[in-house]
Amino acid sequence: MHNDDRAGAASDPGGPERYDFGRPAALSREHTRALAGAFDVFARQWAIQLTSKTRLRAHIAVERVTLETYDEYVATVPPTTTLVVCAAEGSDDRGIVEFPLHTALSWIVKMLGGDGSSRVDARGLTAVEQALLRSLMDETLGHLRGALGALLPHEFTVSTVQYNAAFAQVASAQDLIVVARFSMRFADRTETASVALPAMPLLERLSHTASAPDAVADPALVRRHVEDTPVELTLRLAPRGMKPSEVLTLAVGDVIPLPHGQDRPLDLAVGDQVVAAAAVGANGARLACVVTSSPLSHSLAEETK
C-alpha cells in the first residue's frame, strides 16, 4: 500500500480505511479529527504572523495529518529544504517545522525591507539570516503551542536549523511521528510545508485530553480568535445606480456624477457592513483615512462592561 493511499484514508472520515499489515499503527479517526482541528488553528495563526512580518499576503491550509515512520517522512521531504528542529529542555523528543529553503530566504529578504517577490535561489543561511529565522520561528512555535495546548511541552523551542532531513537524524528510521502537511500560498506562488512531531508522547497526551471531561468553551478565547482574523476594509463613496445601456456607452473622458456630497464622510466598510464614517487624509506619502465616527464603538463598549 502506498503512503498516499493511507494518508487519504486517514484524512477522509467518511470513507473506508485500508489496513496496512506491514505497519499496523495508524491514527484513529478521533485522533485525526482532533489533530486536524488543532493544526487548522495553527495554520490560521501562522498565516497572520507571516502576513504581518513579511508583508506578503499568506494563506495556509492543512492538507492532511498522518502517522508515519521517520524514514517515510524523510522520503517525502525535498533533499534540500529548511528544517527548523525544535526540542524541549530535559527531553530527547524533537520535532520539525519544514518549508522550502528559497521560501525562508524570501521571508528574510522581506523582513529586511527588500522586494522578495521573485524566487530566491536556495542556499545555506548566513549567521545573521539564521538569527532572523530563529526569531521568526520562536514566534511560530508559540502559535503551535497555543493551538495544540497540552499536547506539546510548554518549553518547546528552536534548537537548530538543518537542510537535510536524513542528516538531521531527529529520530530513528522506524520511530513513529505525526506529520501535518500544509499548503502555503503567497500571492500567485504556492509552496508546501510540514510539521513533524514525535508520535508516542503526542498521542499519549491526546488520549488523556480526550478522556477528560469537556471544558466549558471560553468566550474570551473565542473572541480573541475572531479579533485576530484579518479582514479587508473598504473606503467607499455613496453608490449610484446605472442602467446597462448607460454603462455600455461609457467612453474615455465621460464624467459620472456621484450622489455623495463634498461635506459628507465616506463609509468605512467590512464586506457589506458599514463599521465607521471616515474622511480622506494622509500618512506621510500615503493616502489614509481619518475615522470620524463609529456606531460599533458604543455597542462594543457596552458588551465589555
Side-chain angles (χ1 to χ4, degrees):
M1 171 180 165
H2 295 291
N3 289 339
D4 291 342
D5 294 337
R6 181 173 58 252
S11 61
D12 180 12
E17 296 185 11
R18 298 185 180 184
Y19 190 82
D20 185 355
F21 289 93
R23 199 202 68 196
L27 285 174
S28 68
R29 188 167 299 178
E30 291 75 15
H31 285 175
T32 301
R33 187 181 299 112
L35 289 171
F39 281 119
D40 184 60
V41 172
F42 165 66
R44 292 196 297 270
Q45 294 297 319
W46 196 10
I48 294 171
Q49 178 207 3
L50 291 177
T51 299
S52 77
K53 295 291 185 181
T54 67
R55 297 174 288 114
L56 287 169
R57 180 70 63 81
H59 298 273
I60 304 177
V62 181
E63 293 297 319
R64 62 187 185 276
V65 180
T66 57
L67 185 66
E68 306 174 12
T69 65
Y70 185 69
D71 203 25
E72 289 171 334
Y73 174 67
V74 169
T76 63
V77 173
T80 302
T81 187
T82 310
L83 296 160
V84 179
V85 180
C86 318
E89 186 177 353
S91 173
D92 294 331
D93 296 331
R94 291 184 293 173
I96 291 175
V97 180
E98 178 271 331
F99 41 86
L101 185 52
H102 61 81
T103 298
L105 289 167
S106 69
W107 293 347
I108 293 170
V109 169
K110 291 293 291 183
M111 286 191 292
L112 293 175
D115 180 17
S117 57
S118 59
R119 185 184 177 97
V120 182
D121 292 335
R123 57 168 176 78
L125 302 179
T126 65
V128 173
E129 290 168 341
Q130 283 208 27
L132 287 171
L133 183 63
R134 289 173 69 100
S135 176
L136 180 69
M137 295 310 299
D138 277 334
E139 186 175 337
T140 300
L141 287 180
H143 294 311
L144 185 62
R145 289 194 302 269
L148 271 66
L151 302 183
L152 272 187
H154 179 69
E155 64 278 6
F156 213 50
T157 57
V158 175
S159 175
T160 61
V161 177
Q162 303 284 343
Y163 306 108
N164 185 290
F167 294 155
Q169 296 181 342
V170 171
S172 301
Q174 296 306 310
D175 283 352
L176 290 175
I177 56 175
V178 171
V179 181
R181 289 185 169 82
F182 304 85
S183 61
M184 311 176 73
R185 181 159 55 87
F186 303 96
D188 58 347
R189 190 173 78 249
T190 301
E191 309 287 358
T192 59
S194 63
V195 173
L197 300 171
M200 291 304 106
L202 183 68
L203 296 181
E204 182 179 353
R205 296 187 187 106
L206 184 58
S207 297
H208 290 325
T209 303
S211 60
D214 292 337
V216 177
D218 183 357
L221 181 61
V222 175
R223 184 184 183 114
R224 189 163 67 248
H225 280 306
V226 173
E227 291 174 346
D228 287 342
T229 302
V231 296
E232 292 188 0
L233 287 176
T234 304
L235 191 64
R236 64 191 187 190
L237 301 166
R240 172 190 169 175
M242 295 183 68
K243 298 178 181 179
S245 58
E246 294 176 300
V247 175
L248 293 174
T249 57
L250 289 176
V252 177
D254 287 350
V255 176
I256 304 175
L258 297 174
H260 196 104
Q262 293 184 356
D263 58 346
R264 175 184 169 183
L266 283 71
D267 291 333
L268 191 63
V270 177
D272 294 329
Q273 177 66 44
V274 176
V275 297
V280 176
N283 183 12
R286 295 188 177 186
L287 285 174
C289 69
V290 180
V291 176
T292 57
S293 66
S294 174
L296 294 181
S297 58
H298 300 294
S299 60
L300 289 176
E302 289 296 328
E303 287 183 21
T304 54
K305 285 183 180 178

